[in-house]
Amino acid sequence: MPEGDTVLQTATRLHEALAGQVLTRSDLRVPRFATADLSGRTVLDVTARGKHLLTRIEGGLTLHSHLRMDGAWRVYAPDERWRGGPGHQIRAILANAEHIAVGYRLPVLELLRTSDEDRVVGHLGPDLLGPDWDPGPALDRLLAAPERSLGEALLDQRNLAGIGNVYKCELCFLARVTPWLPVGALPDGALPRLVTLAERLLNANRDRPTRTTTITSELRTPPSPPNATPVQSAPATTPARAPARPRARPPVRVQERLYVYGRARRPCLRCGTPIRLADQDDRPTYWCPGCQSGPTP
């Protein structure tokens, strides 16, 4: 599922294949721009803004695309077989002497003046993977609607750009709250930590071929109550006694790349409770009832 990290990877591949090269072929298969011909123009750069792709072209033009749920750009050599889907799913072709970029199932594709880019990305909040990332405005936007559920607030690209449904579920799990908890009900200091974690997770995955939110060397540990009182150290004059180890199956190394997303009815990697699944704003939403506190459907 395309999110900020995978969109950035797509922009990088497109930039490496197209930037600085003259287009020898262009084919935009949407009615509004079907007659547009970009051949003979040089591609200047391809950049990501949140989950949007901006391909800037000589002459003050920008090809704006958005992948949404299942769109994709693929890059091929001139003699390579295209494998991104059937021909009727192709929405754009940009080619030069060395590479061919093919856009499949693109729900958003439009050609506009580069000076008008703000019309399509100006509404976005701070970009988690952008060079100008600033958590302050993102926090202000999130806190502006304290009654809104955390899951919906994280997905709203006007608050901060780059989080999709996978990261929404994973971030709520790592914060130990359900996606239905109102933003204003988060414990003090939890939201700034969550925003910092979001930026760290997306940056950790910006170059990975497969998105990972777990630590592969992490050991599974027995469950502990969400509000358990921390074990206090004994006085220095008395040797500290190790707490009794709960009965549980031996630790196993985590093989999963995600904590909860896509793991409905499978045991939580932390506590063993089956992961639950429900819709939130028509999006499949996963959570662990053992690890995450807050309202649920």
Coordinates of all heavy atoms in Angstrom, one line a residue, residues 152-212:
E152 N -8.1 8.8 12.6 CA -8.5 9.8 11.6 C -7.6 11.0 11.5 O -7.3 11.4 10.4 CB -10.0 10.2 11.8 CG -11.0 9.1 11.7 CD -12.4 9.6 12.0 OE1 -12.5 10.7 12.5 OE2 -13.3 8.8 11.7
A153 N -7.1 11.5 12.6 CA -6.3 12.6 12.6 C -4.9 12.3 12.0 O -4.4 13.2 11.2 CB -6.1 13.1 14.1
L154 N -4.4 11.1 12.2 CA -3.1 10.8 11.6 C -3.2 10.6 10.1 O -2.3 10.9 9.4 CB -2.6 9.5 12.2 CG -2.1 9.5 13.7 CD1 -1.8 8.2 14.2 CD2 -0.9 10.5 13.8
L155 N -4.4 10.2 9.6 CA -4.6 10.0 8.2 C -4.8 11.3 7.4 O -4.7 11.3 6.2 CB -5.7 9.0 7.9 CG -5.4 7.5 8.2 CD1 -6.7 6.7 7.9 CD2 -4.3 7.0 7.4
D156 N -5.2 12.3 8.1 CA -5.6 13.6 7.5 C -4.3 14.2 7.1 O -3.5 14.7 7.9 CB -6.3 14.5 8.5 CG -6.9 15.7 7.8 OD1 -6.4 16.1 6.7 OD2 -7.9 16.3 8.4
Q157 N -4.0 14.3 5.8 CA -2.8 14.8 5.2 C -2.6 16.3 5.5 O -1.6 16.9 5.3 CB -2.7 14.5 3.7 CG -2.8 13.0 3.4 CD -1.7 12.2 4.0 OE1 -0.5 12.4 3.7 NE2 -2.0 11.3 5.0
R158 N -3.7 17.0 5.9 CA -3.6 18.4 6.2 C -2.9 18.6 7.6 O -2.4 19.7 7.9 CB -5.0 19.0 6.3 CG -5.7 19.0 4.9 CD -7.2 19.4 5.1 NE -7.9 18.5 5.9 CZ -9.2 18.6 6.2 NH1 -9.9 19.6 5.7 NH2 -9.8 17.7 6.9
N159 N -2.9 17.5 8.4 CA -2.2 17.6 9.7 C -0.7 17.3 9.5 O 0.2 18.1 10.0 CB -2.8 16.6 10.7 CG -4.2 17.0 11.1 OD1 -4.5 18.2 11.1 ND2 -5.0 16.1 11.4
L160 N -0.4 16.2 8.9 CA 1.0 15.9 8.6 C 1.0 14.9 7.4 O 0.1 14.1 7.3 CB 1.8 15.3 9.8 CG 1.4 14.0 10.4 CD1 2.4 13.6 11.5 CD2 0.0 14.0 11.0
A161 N 1.9 15.1 6.5 CA 1.8 14.4 5.2 C 2.7 13.1 5.2 O 3.9 13.2 5.5 CB 2.2 15.3 4.1
G162 N 2.1 12.0 4.8 CA 2.9 10.8 4.6 C 2.4 9.6 5.2 O 2.8 8.4 4.9
I163 N 1.5 9.7 6.2 CA 1.0 8.5 7.0 C -0.2 8.0 6.2 O -1.1 8.7 5.9 CB 0.6 8.9 8.4 CG1 1.9 9.3 9.2 CG2 -0.1 7.8 9.1 CD1 1.5 9.7 10.6
G164 N -0.2 6.7 6.0 CA -1.3 5.9 5.4 C -1.8 5.0 6.5 O -1.5 5.0 7.6
N165 N -2.7 4.1 6.0 CA -3.4 3.2 6.9 C -2.5 2.2 7.7 O -2.7 1.9 8.8 CB -4.5 2.4 6.2 CG -5.6 1.9 7.1 OD1 -6.0 2.7 8.0 ND2 -6.0 0.7 6.9
V166 N -1.4 1.8 7.0 CA -0.5 0.8 7.7 C 0.2 1.5 8.9 O 0.2 1.0 10.0 CB 0.6 0.3 6.7 CG1 1.6 -0.6 7.4 CG2 -0.1 -0.5 5.6
Y167 N 0.7 2.7 8.6 CA 1.4 3.4 9.7 C 0.4 3.9 10.7 O 0.8 3.9 11.9 CB 2.2 4.6 9.1 CG 3.6 4.2 8.5 CD1 3.8 4.4 7.2 CD2 4.5 3.7 9.4 CE1 5.1 4.0 6.7 CE2 5.8 3.3 8.9 CZ 6.0 3.5 7.5 OH 7.3 3.1 7.0
K168 N -0.8 4.2 10.4 CA -1.8 4.6 11.4 C -1.9 3.5 12.4 O -1.9 3.7 13.6 CB -3.1 4.9 10.7 CG -4.2 5.2 11.7 CD -5.6 5.0 11.1 CE -6.0 3.5 11.1 NZ -7.4 3.3 10.6
C169 N -2.1 2.3 11.9 CA -2.3 1.1 12.8 C -1.1 0.8 13.6 O -1.1 0.6 14.8 CB -2.7 -0.1 12.0 SG -4.3 0.0 11.2
E170 N 0.1 0.9 13.0 CA 1.3 0.6 13.7 C 1.7 1.6 14.7 O 2.1 1.3 15.8 CB 2.5 0.4 12.7 CG 2.3 -0.8 11.7 CD 2.3 -2.1 12.4 OE1 3.4 -2.5 13.0 OE2 1.3 -2.8 12.4
L171 N 1.5 2.9 14.4 CA 1.8 3.9 15.4 C 0.9 3.9 16.6 O 1.3 4.1 17.7 CB 1.7 5.3 14.7 CG 2.8 5.6 13.7 CD1 2.4 6.8 12.8 CD2 4.1 5.9 14.5
C172 N -0.4 3.6 16.4 CA -1.3 3.5 17.5 C -0.9 2.3 18.4 O -1.0 2.4 19.6 CB -2.8 3.4 17.0 SG -3.4 4.9 16.3
F173 N -0.5 1.2 17.8 CA 0.0 0.1 18.6 C 1.2 0.5 19.4 O 1.3 0.2 20.6 CB 0.3 -1.1 17.7 CG 0.9 -2.3 18.4 CD1 0.2 -3.1 19.1 CD2 2.3 -2.4 18.4 CE1 0.7 -4.2 19.8 CE2 2.9 -3.5 19.1 CZ 2.1 -4.4 19.8
L174 N 2.2 1.1 18.8 CA 3.4 1.5 19.5 C 3.1 2.5 20.6 O 3.8 2.6 21.6 CB 4.4 2.0 18.5 CG 5.0 1.0 17.5 CD1 5.7 1.7 16.4 CD2 5.9 0.0 18.3
A175 N 2.0 3.3 20.4 CA 1.6 4.3 21.4 C 0.8 3.6 22.5 O 0.4 4.3 23.5 CB 0.9 5.4 20.8
R176 N 0.4 2.4 22.3 CA -0.4 1.6 23.2 C -1.8 2.2 23.4 O -2.4 2.1 24.5 CB 0.3 1.4 24.6 CG 1.5 0.5 24.5 CD 2.1 0.3 25.9 NE 3.2 -0.7 25.8 CZ 3.1 -2.0 26.0 NH1 1.9 -2.5 26.3 NH2 4.1 -2.8 26.0
V177 N -2.4 2.8 22.4 CA -3.7 3.3 22.4 C -4.5 2.9 21.2 O -3.8 2.6 20.2 CB -3.8 4.8 22.6 CG1 -3.1 5.3 23.9 CG2 -3.1 5.5 21.4
T178 N -5.8 2.8 21.3 CA -6.6 2.4 20.1 C -6.7 3.6 19.1 O -6.7 4.7 19.5 CB -8.0 1.9 20.5 OG1 -8.7 3.0 21.0 CG2 -7.9 0.8 21.5
P179 N -6.9 3.3 17.8 CA -7.1 4.4 16.9 C -8.4 5.2 17.1 O -8.5 6.3 16.5 CB -7.2 3.7 15.5 CG -6.5 2.4 15.8 CD -6.8 2.0 17.2
W180 N -9.3 4.7 18.0 CA -10.5 5.4 18.2 C -10.4 6.4 19.4 O -11.4 7.1 19.7 CB -11.7 4.4 18.4 CG -12.0 3.7 17.2 CD1 -12.9 4.0 16.2 CD2 -11.4 2.4 16.8 NE1 -12.9 3.1 15.2 CE2 -12.0 2.1 15.5 CE3 -10.5 1.6 17.3 CZ2 -11.7 0.9 14.8 CZ3 -10.2 0.4 16.6 CH2 -10.8 0.1 15.4
L181 N -9.3 6.4 20.1 CA -9.1 7.3 21.2 C -9.0 8.8 20.7 O -8.3 9.1 19.8 CB -7.8 7.0 22.0 CG -7.6 7.8 23.2 CD1 -8.5 7.3 24.4 CD2 -6.1 7.7 23.6
P182 N -9.8 9.7 21.3 CA -9.7 11.1 20.9 C -8.3 11.6 21.1 O -7.6 11.3 22.1 CB -10.7 11.8 21.8 CG -11.7 10.8 22.2 CD -10.9 9.5 22.3
V183 N -7.8 12.5 20.2 CA -6.5 13.1 20.3 C -6.3 13.7 21.7 O -5.3 13.6 22.3 CB -6.3 14.1 19.2 CG1 -5.0 14.9 19.4 CG2 -6.2 13.4 17.8
G184 N -7.4 14.4 22.1 CA -7.3 15.2 23.4 C -7.2 14.3 24.6 O -6.9 14.7 25.7
A185 N -7.5 13.0 24.5 CA -7.5 12.0 25.6 C -6.1 11.3 25.7 O -5.9 10.5 26.7 CB -8.6 11.0 25.4
L186 N -5.2 11.6 24.9 CA -3.9 11.0 25.0 C -3.2 11.5 26.3 O -3.4 12.7 26.7 CB -3.0 11.4 23.8 CG -3.3 10.6 22.5 CD1 -2.6 11.3 21.3 CD2 -2.8 9.2 22.6
P187 N -2.4 10.7 26.9 CA -1.7 11.2 28.1 C -0.7 12.3 27.8 O -0.3 12.5 26.6 CB -0.9 9.9 28.5 CG -1.6 8.8 27.9 CD -2.2 9.3 26.6
D188 N -0.4 13.1 28.8 CA 0.5 14.2 28.6 C 1.8 13.8 27.9 O 2.4 12.8 28.4 CB 0.8 14.9 29.9 CG -0.4 15.7 30.4 OD1 -1.3 15.9 29.7 OD2 -0.4 16.0 31.6
G189 N 2.2 14.5 26.9 CA 3.5 14.1 26.3 C 3.4 13.0 25.2 O 4.4 12.8 24.5
A190 N 2.3 12.3 25.2 CA 2.2 11.2 24.3 C 2.2 11.6 22.8 O 2.8 11.0 21.9 CB 1.0 10.3 24.6
L191 N 1.5 12.7 22.5 CA 1.4 13.1 21.1 C 2.7 13.6 20.5 O 3.1 13.2 19.4 CB 0.3 14.2 20.9 CG -0.1 14.5 19.5 CD1 -0.6 13.3 18.8 CD2 -1.1 15.7 19.5
P192 N 3.5 14.4 21.2 CA 4.8 14.7 20.7 C 5.7 13.5 20.4 O 6.4 13.4 19.4 CB 5.4 15.7 21.7 CG 4.2 16.3 22.4 CD 3.2 15.2 22.4
R193 N 5.6 12.6 21.3 CA 6.4 11.3 21.2 C 5.9 10.5 19.9 O 6.7 10.0 19.2 CB 6.3 10.5 22.4 CG 7.1 11.0 23.6 CD 7.3 10.0 24.7 NE 6.0 9.5 25.2 CZ 5.4 10.1 26.3 NH1 5.9 11.2 26.9 NH2 4.2 9.6 26.7
L194 N 4.6 10.5 19.7 CA 4.1 9.8 18.6 C 4.5 10.4 17.3 O 4.8 9.7 16.3 CB 2.5 9.8 18.7 CG 1.8 9.0 17.7 CD1 2.2 7.5 17.7 CD2 0.3 9.1 17.9
V195 N 4.4 11.8 17.2 CA 4.9 12.5 16.0 C 6.3 12.2 15.7 O 6.7 12.0 14.6 CB 4.5 14.0 16.1 CG1 5.2 14.7 15.0 CG2 3.0 14.2 16.1
T196 N 7.1 12.2 16.8 CA 8.6 12.0 16.6 C 8.8 10.5 16.1 O 9.6 10.3 15.2 CB 9.3 12.2 17.9 OG1 9.2 13.5 18.3 CG2 10.8 11.8 17.8
L197 N 8.0 9.6 16.6 CA 8.1 8.2 16.2 C 7.7 8.0 14.8 O 8.3 7.3 14.0 CB 7.3 7.3 17.1 CG 7.3 5.8 16.8 CD1 8.7 5.3 16.9 CD2 6.4 5.1 17.8
A198 N 6.7 8.7 14.4 CA 6.2 8.7 13.0 C 7.3 9.1 12.0 O 7.6 8.4 11.0 CB 5.0 9.5 12.8
E199 N 8.0 10.2 12.3 CA 9.1 10.7 11.5 C 10.2 9.7 11.4 O 10.8 9.4 10.4 CB 9.5 12.0 12.0 CG 10.6 12.7 11.1 CD 12.0 12.3 11.5 OE1 12.2 11.9 12.6 OE2 12.9 12.4 10.6
R200 N 10.5 9.1 12.6 CA 11.6 8.1 12.7 C 11.3 6.8 11.9 O 12.1 6.3 11.2 CB 11.9 7.8 14.1 CG 13.1 6.8 14.4 CD 13.6 6.9 15.8 NE 12.6 6.5 16.7 CZ 12.4 5.3 17.2 NH1 13.1 4.3 16.7 NH2 11.5 5.0 18.1
L201 N 10.0 6.3 12.0 CA 9.6 5.1 11.3 C 9.7 5.3 9.8 O 10.2 4.5 9.1 CB 8.3 4.7 11.8 CG 8.1 3.8 13.0 CD1 6.7 3.4 13.2 CD2 9.0 2.5 12.9
L202 N 9.1 6.4 9.3 CA 9.1 6.6 7.9 C 10.5 6.8 7.3 O 10.8 6.3 6.3 CB 8.2 7.8 7.5 CG 6.8 7.5 7.1 CD1 6.0 7.1 8.4 CD2 6.1 8.6 6.4
N203 N 11.4 7.5 8.1 CA 12.7 7.7 7.6 C 13.5 6.3 7.6 O 14.3 6.1 6.8 CB 13.4 8.7 8.4 CG 13.4 10.1 7.8 OD1 14.0 10.3 6.8 ND2 12.6 11.0 8.4
A204 N 13.2 5.5 8.6 CA 13.9 4.2 8.7 C 13.5 3.3 7.5 O 14.3 2.4 7.1 CB 13.5 3.5 10.0
N205 N 12.3 3.6 6.9 CA 11.8 2.7 5.8 C 12.0 3.4 4.5 O 11.5 2.8 3.4 CB 10.4 2.4 6.0 CG 10.2 1.3 7.1 OD1 10.5 0.1 6.8 ND2 9.8 1.6 8.3
R206 N 12.6 4.6 4.4 CA 12.6 5.3 3.1 C 13.4 4.6 2.1 O 13.2 4.8 0.9 CB 13.2 6.7 3.4 CG 14.6 6.8 3.9 CD 15.0 8.2 4.2 NE 14.9 9.1 3.1 CZ 14.7 10.4 3.1 NH1 14.5 11.0 4.3 NH2 14.7 11.1 2.0
D207 N 14.3 3.7 2.5 CA 15.1 3.0 1.5 C 14.9 1.5 1.5 O 15.6 0.7 0.8 CB 16.6 3.3 1.7 CG 17.0 4.8 1.5 OD1 16.4 5.3 0.5 OD2 17.7 5.3 2.3
R208 N 14.1 1.0 2.4 CA 13.8 -0.4 2.5 C 12.9 -0.9 1.5 O 11.9 -0.3 1.2 CB 13.2 -0.8 3.9 CG 14.2 -0.7 5.1 CD 13.5 -0.9 6.4 NE 14.4 -0.9 7.5 CZ 14.0 -0.8 8.8 NH1 12.8 -0.7 9.1 NH2 14.9 -0.8 9.7
P209 N 13.2 -2.1 0.9 CA 12.2 -2.6 -0.1 C 10.9 -3.1 0.5 O 9.9 -3.2 -0.2 CB 13.0 -3.8 -0.8 CG 14.1 -4.1 0.3 CD 14.4 -2.9 1.0
T210 N 11.0 -3.5 1.8 CA 9.8 -4.0 2.4 C 9.6 -3.2 3.8 O 10.6 -3.2 4.6 CB 9.9 -5.5 2.8 OG1 10.1 -6.2 1.5 CG2 8.6 -6.0 3.4
R211 N 8.5 -2.6 3.9 CA 8.2 -1.8 5.1 C 8.3 -2.7 6.4 O 7.8 -3.7 6.5 CB 6.9 -1.2 5.0 CG 6.5 -0.2 6.2 CD 5.1 0.4 6.0 NE 5.1 1.2 4.8 CZ 4.2 1.0 3.8 NH1 3.3 0.1 3.9 NH2 4.2 1.8 2.7
T212 N 9.0 -2.1 7.4 CA 9.2 -2.9 8.7 C 9.0 -1.9 9.8 O 9.6 -0.8 9.9 CB 10.6 -3.5 8.7 OG1 10.8 -4.3 7.6 CG2 10.8 -4.3 10.0

